[in-house]
mmCIF file of all heavy atoms in Angstrom:
data_model
loop_
_atom_site.group_PDB
_atom_site.id
_atom_site.type_symbol
_atom_site.label_atom_id
_atom_site.label_comp_id
_atom_site.label_asym_id
_atom_site.label_seq_id
_atom_site.Cartn_x
_atom_site.Cartn_y
_atom_site.Cartn_z
ATOM 1 N N PRO A 134 -30.909 -19.635 -23.432
ATOM 2 C CA PRO A 134 -31.912 -19.667 -22.354
ATOM 3 C C PRO A 134 -31.370 -19.139 -21.006
ATOM 4 O O PRO A 134 -32.149 -18.841 -20.112
ATOM 5 C CB PRO A 134 -32.272 -21.143 -22.234
ATOM 6 C CG PRO A 134 -31.116 -21.874 -22.812
ATOM 7 C CD PRO A 134 -30.436 -20.981 -23.801
ATOM 8 N N ASP A 135 -30.032 -19.095 -20.892
ATOM 9 C CA ASP A 135 -29.418 -18.707 -19.601
ATOM 10 C C ASP A 135 -28.801 -17.325 -19.766
ATOM 11 O O ASP A 135 -27.700 -17.181 -20.337
ATOM 12 C CB ASP A 135 -28.362 -19.779 -19.241
ATOM 13 C CG ASP A 135 -27.749 -19.543 -17.860
ATOM 14 O OD1 ASP A 135 -27.974 -18.472 -17.241
ATOM 15 O OD2 ASP A 135 -27.033 -20.454 -17.376
ATOM 16 N N VAL A 136 -29.503 -16.298 -19.284
ATOM 17 C CA VAL A 136 -29.041 -14.906 -19.443
ATOM 18 C C VAL A 136 -28.944 -14.241 -18.092
ATOM 19 O O VAL A 136 -29.927 -14.200 -17.349
ATOM 20 C CB VAL A 136 -29.989 -14.094 -20.362
ATOM 21 C CG1 VAL A 136 -29.597 -12.609 -20.381
ATOM 22 C CG2 VAL A 136 -29.916 -14.631 -21.799
ATOM 23 N N GLU A 137 -27.756 -13.725 -17.789
ATOM 24 C CA GLU A 137 -27.553 -12.949 -16.569
ATOM 25 C C GLU A 137 -27.520 -11.495 -16.949
ATOM 26 O O GLU A 137 -26.973 -11.115 -18.007
ATOM 27 C CB GLU A 137 -26.203 -13.375 -15.933
ATOM 28 C CG GLU A 137 -25.796 -12.535 -14.743
ATOM 29 C CD GLU A 137 -24.622 -13.132 -13.983
ATOM 30 O OE1 GLU A 137 -24.431 -14.362 -14.020
ATOM 31 O OE2 GLU A 137 -23.912 -12.351 -13.338
ATOM 32 N N TRP A 138 -28.129 -10.632 -16.135
ATOM 33 C CA TRP A 138 -28.048 -9.204 -16.352
ATOM 34 C C TRP A 138 -27.341 -8.576 -15.146
ATOM 35 O O TRP A 138 -27.792 -8.802 -14.003
ATOM 36 C CB TRP A 138 -29.417 -8.576 -16.531
ATOM 37 C CG TRP A 138 -29.320 -7.087 -16.737
ATOM 38 C CD1 TRP A 138 -28.893 -6.421 -17.860
ATOM 39 C CD2 TRP A 138 -29.627 -6.074 -15.774
ATOM 40 N NE1 TRP A 138 -28.876 -5.075 -17.638
ATOM 41 C CE2 TRP A 138 -29.332 -4.832 -16.356
ATOM 42 C CE3 TRP A 138 -30.077 -6.109 -14.457
ATOM 43 C CZ2 TRP A 138 -29.472 -3.644 -15.694
ATOM 44 C CZ3 TRP A 138 -30.250 -4.932 -13.777
ATOM 45 C CH2 TRP A 138 -29.980 -3.709 -14.389
ATOM 46 N N SER A 139 -26.327 -7.793 -15.390
ATOM 47 C CA SER A 139 -25.540 -7.174 -14.319
ATOM 48 C C SER A 139 -25.794 -5.656 -14.296
ATOM 49 O O SER A 139 -25.582 -4.991 -15.306
ATOM 50 C CB SER A 139 -24.038 -7.440 -14.486
ATOM 51 O OG SER A 139 -23.779 -8.820 -14.382
ATOM 52 N N ALA A 140 -26.179 -5.191 -13.134
ATOM 53 C CA ALA A 140 -26.460 -3.728 -12.935
ATOM 54 C C ALA A 140 -25.157 -3.027 -12.581
ATOM 55 O O ALA A 140 -24.846 -2.771 -11.438
ATOM 56 C CB ALA A 140 -27.483 -3.586 -11.806
ATOM 57 N N PHE A 141 -24.371 -2.671 -13.669
ATOM 58 C CA PHE A 141 -23.040 -2.108 -13.427
ATOM 59 C C PHE A 141 -23.123 -0.836 -12.595
ATOM 60 O O PHE A 141 -23.897 0.055 -12.867
ATOM 61 C CB PHE A 141 -22.382 -1.826 -14.796
ATOM 62 C CG PHE A 141 -20.991 -1.291 -14.659
ATOM 63 C CD1 PHE A 141 -19.920 -2.145 -14.437
ATOM 64 C CD2 PHE A 141 -20.728 0.063 -14.713
ATOM 65 C CE1 PHE A 141 -18.645 -1.661 -14.282
ATOM 66 C CE2 PHE A 141 -19.446 0.560 -14.534
ATOM 67 C CZ PHE A 141 -18.389 -0.301 -14.323
ATOM 68 N N ASP A 142 -22.287 -0.797 -11.544
ATOM 69 C CA ASP A 142 -22.216 0.372 -10.618
ATOM 70 C C ASP A 142 -23.476 0.512 -9.783
ATOM 71 O O ASP A 142 -23.872 1.635 -9.420
ATOM 72 C CB ASP A 142 -21.960 1.652 -11.423
ATOM 73 C CG ASP A 142 -21.010 2.618 -10.659
ATOM 74 O OD1 ASP A 142 -20.655 2.301 -9.530
ATOM 75 O OD2 ASP A 142 -20.666 3.664 -11.259
ATOM 76 N N ALA A 143 -24.069 -0.620 -9.444
ATOM 77 C CA ALA A 143 -25.333 -0.626 -8.669
ATOM 78 C C ALA A 143 -25.230 0.136 -7.366
ATOM 79 O O ALA A 143 -26.171 0.823 -6.955
ATOM 80 C CB ALA A 143 -25.772 -2.069 -8.393
ATOM 81 N N THR A 144 -24.070 0.029 -6.722
ATOM 82 C CA THR A 144 -23.956 0.674 -5.383
ATOM 83 C C THR A 144 -23.855 2.202 -5.451
ATOM 84 O O THR A 144 -23.912 2.858 -4.419
ATOM 85 C CB THR A 144 -22.726 0.091 -4.635
ATOM 86 O OG1 THR A 144 -21.608 0.099 -5.508
ATOM 87 C CG2 THR A 144 -22.987 -1.303 -4.122
ATOM 88 N N ARG A 145 -23.716 2.763 -6.672
ATOM 89 C CA ARG A 145 -23.706 4.214 -6.792
ATOM 90 C C ARG A 145 -24.900 4.678 -7.603
ATOM 91 O O ARG A 145 -24.913 5.807 -8.136
ATOM 92 C CB ARG A 145 -22.406 4.706 -7.395
ATOM 93 C CG ARG A 145 -21.185 4.358 -6.530
ATOM 94 C CD ARG A 145 -19.909 5.092 -6.977
ATOM 95 N NE ARG A 145 -19.692 4.910 -8.384
ATOM 96 C CZ ARG A 145 -18.984 5.770 -9.124
ATOM 97 N NH1 ARG A 145 -18.457 6.860 -8.590
ATOM 98 N NH2 ARG A 145 -18.797 5.551 -10.421
ATOM 99 N N SER A 146 -25.896 3.817 -7.767
ATOM 100 C CA SER A 146 -27.080 4.185 -8.574
ATOM 101 C C SER A 146 -28.203 4.736 -7.675
ATOM 102 O O SER A 146 -28.145 4.587 -6.435
ATOM 103 C CB SER A 146 -27.597 2.954 -9.342
ATOM 104 O OG SER A 146 -28.098 1.995 -8.403
ATOM 105 N N HIS A 147 -29.225 5.323 -8.304
ATOM 106 C CA HIS A 147 -30.386 5.764 -7.540
ATOM 107 C C HIS A 147 -31.264 4.548 -7.219
ATOM 108 O O HIS A 147 -31.593 3.796 -8.152
ATOM 109 C CB HIS A 147 -31.160 6.816 -8.335
ATOM 110 C CG HIS A 147 -32.198 7.510 -7.517
ATOM 111 N ND1 HIS A 147 -33.323 6.876 -7.034
ATOM 112 C CD2 HIS A 147 -32.196 8.746 -6.985
ATOM 113 C CE1 HIS A 147 -34.016 7.714 -6.308
ATOM 114 N NE2 HIS A 147 -33.338 8.866 -6.242
ATOM 115 N N PRO A 148 -31.630 4.353 -5.957
ATOM 116 C CA PRO A 148 -32.400 3.124 -5.602
ATOM 117 C C PRO A 148 -33.688 2.934 -6.413
ATOM 118 O O PRO A 148 -34.008 1.805 -6.815
ATOM 119 C CB PRO A 148 -32.733 3.306 -4.126
ATOM 120 C CG PRO A 148 -31.806 4.363 -3.626
ATOM 121 C CD PRO A 148 -31.330 5.167 -4.785
ATOM 122 N N ASP A 149 -34.426 4.025 -6.675
ATOM 123 C CA ASP A 149 -35.704 3.898 -7.436
ATOM 124 C C ASP A 149 -35.414 3.379 -8.852
ATOM 125 O O ASP A 149 -36.099 2.491 -9.350
ATOM 126 C CB ASP A 149 -36.429 5.226 -7.540
ATOM 127 C CG ASP A 149 -36.936 5.733 -6.203
ATOM 128 O OD1 ASP A 149 -36.943 4.901 -5.275
ATOM 129 O OD2 ASP A 149 -37.230 6.914 -6.087
ATOM 130 N N PHE A 150 -34.336 3.938 -9.464
ATOM 131 C CA PHE A 150 -34.005 3.520 -10.847
ATOM 132 C C PHE A 150 -33.503 2.080 -10.815
ATOM 133 O O PHE A 150 -33.854 1.270 -11.682
ATOM 134 C CB PHE A 150 -33.015 4.460 -11.475
ATOM 135 C CG PHE A 150 -32.670 3.986 -12.856
ATOM 136 C CD1 PHE A 150 -33.627 4.059 -13.876
ATOM 137 C CD2 PHE A 150 -31.443 3.416 -13.160
ATOM 138 C CE1 PHE A 150 -33.375 3.590 -15.164
ATOM 139 C CE2 PHE A 150 -31.184 2.950 -14.435
ATOM 140 C CZ PHE A 150 -32.120 3.027 -15.439
ATOM 141 N N LEU A 151 -32.684 1.743 -9.827
ATOM 142 C CA LEU A 151 -32.143 0.372 -9.764
ATOM 143 C C LEU A 151 -33.291 -0.632 -9.669
ATOM 144 O O LEU A 151 -33.263 -1.670 -10.357
ATOM 145 C CB LEU A 151 -31.176 0.254 -8.553
ATOM 146 C CG LEU A 151 -30.531 -1.123 -8.407
ATOM 147 C CD1 LEU A 151 -29.653 -1.445 -9.611
ATOM 148 C CD2 LEU A 151 -29.670 -1.153 -7.118
ATOM 149 N N CYS A 152 -34.284 -0.366 -8.837
ATOM 150 C CA CYS A 152 -35.423 -1.281 -8.692
ATOM 151 C C CYS A 152 -36.132 -1.453 -10.061
ATOM 152 O O CYS A 152 -36.478 -2.573 -10.438
ATOM 153 C CB CYS A 152 -36.419 -0.765 -7.685
ATOM 154 S SG CYS A 152 -35.847 -0.879 -5.976
ATOM 155 N N LYS A 153 -36.362 -0.358 -10.732
ATOM 156 C CA LYS A 153 -37.042 -0.406 -12.086
ATOM 157 C C LYS A 153 -36.238 -1.177 -13.073
ATOM 158 O O LYS A 153 -36.751 -1.994 -13.881
ATOM 159 C CB LYS A 153 -37.234 1.042 -12.558
ATOM 160 C CG LYS A 153 -38.625 1.574 -12.348
ATOM 161 C CD LYS A 153 -39.573 1.041 -13.429
ATOM 162 C CE LYS A 153 -41.011 1.099 -13.131
ATOM 163 N NZ LYS A 153 -41.740 -0.129 -13.015
ATOM 164 N N ALA A 154 -34.896 -0.946 -13.033
ATOM 165 C CA ALA A 154 -34.003 -1.618 -13.994
ATOM 166 C C ALA A 154 -34.000 -3.142 -13.746
ATOM 167 O O ALA A 154 -34.081 -3.928 -14.690
ATOM 168 C CB ALA A 154 -32.583 -1.044 -13.858
ATOM 169 N N VAL A 155 -33.922 -3.543 -12.499
ATOM 170 C CA VAL A 155 -33.914 -4.979 -12.156
ATOM 171 C C VAL A 155 -35.277 -5.632 -12.605
ATOM 172 O O VAL A 155 -35.304 -6.671 -13.211
ATOM 173 C CB VAL A 155 -33.676 -5.176 -10.634
ATOM 174 C CG1 VAL A 155 -33.925 -6.618 -10.230
ATOM 175 C CG2 VAL A 155 -32.230 -4.798 -10.301
ATOM 176 N N GLU A 156 -36.367 -4.922 -12.265
ATOM 177 C CA GLU A 156 -37.692 -5.421 -12.633
ATOM 178 C C GLU A 156 -37.803 -5.606 -14.159
ATOM 179 O O GLU A 156 -38.284 -6.598 -14.647
ATOM 180 C CB GLU A 156 -38.761 -4.437 -12.149
ATOM 181 C CG GLU A 156 -40.177 -4.939 -12.382
ATOM 182 C CD GLU A 156 -41.245 -3.919 -11.959
ATOM 183 O OE1 GLU A 156 -40.920 -2.927 -11.283
ATOM 184 O OE2 GLU A 156 -42.414 -4.151 -12.317
ATOM 185 N N THR A 157 -37.274 -4.604 -14.916
ATOM 186 C CA THR A 157 -37.319 -4.638 -16.387
ATOM 187 C C THR A 157 -36.501 -5.834 -16.912
ATOM 188 O O THR A 157 -36.932 -6.549 -17.818
ATOM 189 C CB THR A 157 -36.806 -3.329 -16.955
ATOM 190 O OG1 THR A 157 -37.584 -2.276 -16.439
ATOM 191 C CG2 THR A 157 -36.819 -3.317 -18.469
ATOM 192 N N ALA A 158 -35.315 -6.026 -16.362
ATOM 193 C CA ALA A 158 -34.418 -7.108 -16.822
ATOM 194 C C ALA A 158 -35.103 -8.476 -16.609
ATOM 195 O O ALA A 158 -35.046 -9.363 -17.480
ATOM 196 C CB ALA A 158 -33.095 -7.048 -16.128
ATOM 197 N N ILE A 159 -35.746 -8.621 -15.444
ATOM 198 C CA ILE A 159 -36.415 -9.917 -15.146
ATOM 199 C C ILE A 159 -37.589 -10.087 -16.114
ATOM 200 O O ILE A 159 -37.778 -11.159 -16.689
ATOM 201 C CB ILE A 159 -36.862 -9.991 -13.673
ATOM 202 C CG1 ILE A 159 -35.617 -9.931 -12.758
ATOM 203 C CG2 ILE A 159 -37.663 -11.275 -13.431
ATOM 204 C CD1 ILE A 159 -35.933 -9.772 -11.298
ATOM 205 N N LYS A 160 -38.394 -9.042 -16.300
ATOM 206 C CA LYS A 160 -39.561 -9.128 -17.227
ATOM 207 C C LYS A 160 -39.101 -9.485 -18.627
ATOM 208 O O LYS A 160 -39.795 -10.149 -19.360
ATOM 209 C CB LYS A 160 -40.237 -7.753 -17.291
ATOM 210 C CG LYS A 160 -41.498 -7.703 -16.498
ATOM 211 C CD LYS A 160 -42.293 -6.396 -16.854
ATOM 212 C CE LYS A 160 -43.167 -6.020 -15.666
ATOM 213 N NZ LYS A 160 -43.376 -4.610 -15.560
ATOM 214 N N SER A 161 -37.910 -8.997 -19.000
ATOM 215 C CA SER A 161 -37.410 -9.252 -20.372
ATOM 216 C C SER A 161 -36.751 -10.616 -20.530
ATOM 217 O O SER A 161 -36.356 -10.982 -21.660
ATOM 218 C CB SER A 161 -36.413 -8.141 -20.744
ATOM 219 O OG SER A 161 -36.935 -6.893 -20.458
ATOM 220 N N GLY A 162 -36.592 -11.346 -19.407
ATOM 221 C CA GLY A 162 -36.136 -12.717 -19.523
ATOM 222 C C GLY A 162 -34.792 -13.039 -18.828
ATOM 223 O O GLY A 162 -34.269 -14.164 -19.001
ATOM 224 N N ALA A 163 -34.262 -12.125 -18.063
ATOM 225 C CA ALA A 163 -33.000 -12.443 -17.363
ATOM 226 C C ALA A 163 -33.273 -13.528 -16.292
ATOM 227 O O ALA A 163 -34.207 -13.399 -15.493
ATOM 228 C CB ALA A 163 -32.428 -11.181 -16.692
ATOM 229 N N THR A 164 -32.455 -14.544 -16.291
ATOM 230 C CA THR A 164 -32.654 -15.648 -15.335
ATOM 231 C C THR A 164 -31.835 -15.454 -14.085
ATOM 232 O O THR A 164 -32.102 -16.031 -13.055
ATOM 233 C CB THR A 164 -32.305 -17.004 -16.037
ATOM 234 O OG1 THR A 164 -31.091 -16.832 -16.747
ATOM 235 C CG2 THR A 164 -33.385 -17.400 -16.991
ATOM 236 N N THR A 165 -30.765 -14.659 -14.208
ATOM 237 C CA THR A 165 -29.943 -14.269 -13.038
ATOM 238 C C THR A 165 -29.776 -12.748 -13.056
ATOM 239 O O THR A 165 -29.554 -12.194 -14.129
ATOM 240 C CB THR A 165 -28.570 -14.953 -13.060
ATOM 241 O OG1 THR A 165 -28.724 -16.345 -13.054
ATOM 242 C CG2 THR A 165 -27.683 -14.532 -11.895
ATOM 243 N N ILE A 166 -29.883 -12.120 -11.907
ATOM 244 C CA ILE A 166 -29.629 -10.701 -11.783
ATOM 245 C C ILE A 166 -28.439 -10.493 -10.863
ATOM 246 O O ILE A 166 -28.402 -11.031 -9.740
ATOM 247 C CB ILE A 166 -30.841 -9.979 -11.109
ATOM 248 C CG1 ILE A 166 -32.099 -10.074 -11.981
ATOM 249 C CG2 ILE A 166 -30.514 -8.517 -10.747
ATOM 250 C CD1 ILE A 166 -32.064 -9.299 -13.278
ATOM 251 N N SER A 167 -27.408 -9.805 -11.405
ATOM 252 C CA SER A 167 -26.219 -9.576 -10.563
ATOM 253 C C SER A 167 -26.150 -8.149 -10.103
ATOM 254 O O SER A 167 -26.378 -7.192 -10.878
ATOM 255 C CB SER A 167 -24.981 -9.932 -11.361
ATOM 256 O OG SER A 167 -23.814 -9.650 -10.564
ATOM 257 N N ILE A 168 -25.842 -7.974 -8.797
ATOM 258 C CA ILE A 168 -25.709 -6.650 -8.222
ATOM 259 C C ILE A 168 -24.222 -6.436 -7.893
ATOM 260 O O ILE A 168 -23.719 -6.957 -6.911
ATOM 261 C CB ILE A 168 -26.575 -6.517 -6.932
ATOM 262 C CG1 ILE A 168 -28.073 -6.791 -7.279
ATOM 263 C CG2 ILE A 168 -26.437 -5.106 -6.328
ATOM 264 C CD1 ILE A 168 -28.685 -5.897 -8.328
ATOM 265 N N PRO A 169 -23.511 -5.702 -8.780
ATOM 266 C CA PRO A 169 -22.098 -5.500 -8.527
ATOM 267 C C PRO A 169 -21.845 -4.291 -7.679
ATOM 268 O O PRO A 169 -22.536 -3.248 -7.802
ATOM 269 C CB PRO A 169 -21.494 -5.301 -9.931
ATOM 270 C CG PRO A 169 -22.644 -5.434 -10.907
ATOM 271 C CD PRO A 169 -23.886 -5.274 -10.154
ATOM 272 N N ASP A 170 -20.829 -4.385 -6.819
ATOM 273 C CA ASP A 170 -20.249 -3.184 -6.169
ATOM 274 C C ASP A 170 -19.010 -2.928 -7.042
ATOM 275 O O ASP A 170 -17.886 -3.251 -6.699
ATOM 276 C CB ASP A 170 -19.875 -3.503 -4.748
ATOM 277 C CG ASP A 170 -19.323 -2.274 -4.012
ATOM 278 O OD1 ASP A 170 -19.511 -1.161 -4.519
ATOM 279 O OD2 ASP A 170 -18.638 -2.453 -2.969
ATOM 280 N N SER A 171 -19.264 -2.321 -8.201
ATOM 281 C CA SER A 171 -18.258 -2.269 -9.261
ATOM 282 C C SER A 171 -16.970 -1.574 -8.869
ATOM 283 O O SER A 171 -15.897 -1.969 -9.270
ATOM 284 C CB SER A 171 -18.842 -1.554 -10.499
ATOM 285 O OG SER A 171 -19.988 -2.280 -10.947
ATOM 286 N N LEU A 172 -17.096 -0.516 -8.053
ATOM 287 C CA LEU A 172 -15.889 0.213 -7.656
ATOM 288 C C LEU A 172 -15.495 -0.092 -6.214
ATOM 289 O O LEU A 172 -14.626 0.574 -5.622
ATOM 290 C CB LEU A 172 -16.093 1.730 -7.861
ATOM 291 C CG LEU A 172 -16.282 2.138 -9.312
ATOM 292 C CD1 LEU A 172 -16.278 3.655 -9.449
ATOM 293 C CD2 LEU A 172 -15.218 1.553 -10.234
ATOM 294 N N GLY A 173 -16.153 -1.082 -5.607
ATOM 295 C CA GLY A 173 -15.784 -1.523 -4.267
ATOM 296 C C GLY A 173 -15.963 -0.438 -3.218
ATOM 297 O O GLY A 173 -15.130 -0.274 -2.337
#
Side-chain angles (χ1 to χ4, degrees):
D135 185 349
V136 172
E137 174 169 334
W138 178 75
S139 295
F141 182 82
D142 218 354
T144 46
R145 298 193 308 156
S146 66
H147 192 289
D149 294 345
F150 179 68
L151 182 62
C152 288
K153 260 280 161 245
V155 169
E156 185 183 348
T157 302
I159 297 171
K160 257 192 206 150
S161 311
T164 44
T165 299
I166 296 291
S167 176
I168 303 301
D170 182 18
S171 302
L172 296 188

